[in-house]
Amino acid sequence: MRDSTNYNRSMSMDALSADAECLQSLPQSLAALRNCAFALQPISVSDPQLEYCLRLAHQNMNPYLERRGEQFNDVRWCELAPQAEFYLIVDNASSTHENVGFVSVRSDPDCPPALHIGDVQVKATHQNRGAGSAALQWIEDLAHSRCLSELTLNVFRDNPALRLYERFGFQLIDTQFYKYKMRKTLQRY
């Protein structure tokens, strides 16, 4: 069922109240993800590895934009980067612990109890190998650790990752031009 409202909607006091237990400890699954095939490593906006994130976002997003007569805007991406937190997706199974992608998240000003996923970018050579799923689980755990009740994201309608987001429990809430707005309501631990 499609909810056509945007992220800026009234919330019950129940949904807005912080759970005291949530504030005291990180979910155990967040720590467990450090031992799986992929790990997420935080980087700052001043880290030189942010250039890797820009190149990968440009490489992955440009084909979608070109189909629409547009191009990836490096300058705009760099202007928006300071508003987000970045995490490299590291392949723990490789002997070199290769970076295979990154995620970016930020608070959603239109929906305070939500964590907005700005990017889930995975190298083409590592897509469909679990990196995106591991990253989404990590982001969900991060949102839980911050006592947030929702995840939000935007995705191109023709992006194959749409199926991953649907399997992960995201639901369509709005359509904007060639993108879908999606939301996942989180279960309390």
Side-chain angles (χ1 to χ4, degrees), residues 4 34 40 53 124-125 159 161 170:
S4 62
R34 292 184 190 125
L40 272 79
C53 298
T125 56
N159 186 333
F170 282 87

Side-chain angles (χ1 to χ4, degrees), residues 48-65:
Q49 293 196 73
L50 195 64
E51 180 66 28
Y52 162 80
C53 298
L54 170 61
R55 284 192 320 271
L56 184 59
H58 185 120
Q59 179 182 352
N60 284 356
M61 300 307 295
N62 217 36
Y64 297 104
L65 293 167

Side-chain angles (χ1 to χ4, degrees), residues 17-183:
S17 65
D19 183 352
E21 292 175 20
C22 176
L23 294 172
Q24 293 176 4
S25 66
L26 292 175
Q28 288 188 358
S29 58
L30 186 59
L33 277 172
R34 292 184 190 125
N35 299 322
C36 74
F38 299 98
L40 272 79
Q41 171 190 336
I43 62 169
S44 70
V45 219
S46 59
D47 192 307
Q49 293 196 73
L50 195 64
E51 180 66 28
Y52 162 80
C53 298
L54 170 61
R55 284 192 320 271
L56 184 59
H58 185 120
Q59 179 182 352
N60 284 356
M61 300 307 295
N62 217 36
Y64 297 104
L65 293 167
E66 285 176 345
R67 285 195 286 273
R68 292 158 179 87
E70 300 176 32
Q71 288 193 348
F72 188 83
N73 187 333
D74 292 10
V75 173
R76 177 149 170 75
W77 192 91
C78 290
E79 289 172 353
L80 294 173
Q83 299 173 19
E85 299 169 44
F86 286 83
Y87 300 87
L88 295 174
I89 303 171
V90 180
D91 183 354
N92 281 342
S94 79
S95 59
T96 60
H97 296 284
E98 174 187 8
N99 294 335
V100 297
F102 77 94
V103 297
S104 69
V105 296
R106 63 177 171 78
S107 298
D108 190 335
D110 293 334
C111 185
L115 186 63
H116 182 76
I117 302 169
D119 289 285
V120 177
Q121 301 290 344
V122 178
K123 285 180 171 180
T125 56
H126 284 75
Q127 291 175 2
N128 299 310
R129 295 185 180 185
S133 296
L136 287 173
Q137 183 59 59
W138 190 91
I139 292 168
E140 183 173 325
D141 291 341
L142 179 65
H144 275 292
S145 75
R146 295 177 181 181
C147 300
L148 300 173
S149 59
E150 296 181 355
L151 296 174
T152 60
L153 59 80
N154 298 315
V155 61
F156 285 108
R157 293 181 192 187
D158 56 344
N159 186 333
L162 176 61
R163 289 186 300 279
L164 169 65
Y165 301 142
E166 290 171 336
R167 281 194 314 270
F168 202 73
F170 282 87
Q171 296 180 344
L172 174 67
I173 60 168
D174 200 6
T175 301
Q176 294 183 334
F177 303 105
Y178 45 81
K179 289 185 179 181
Y180 290 137
K181 279 184 149 183
M182 300 185 85
R183 174 177 52 229

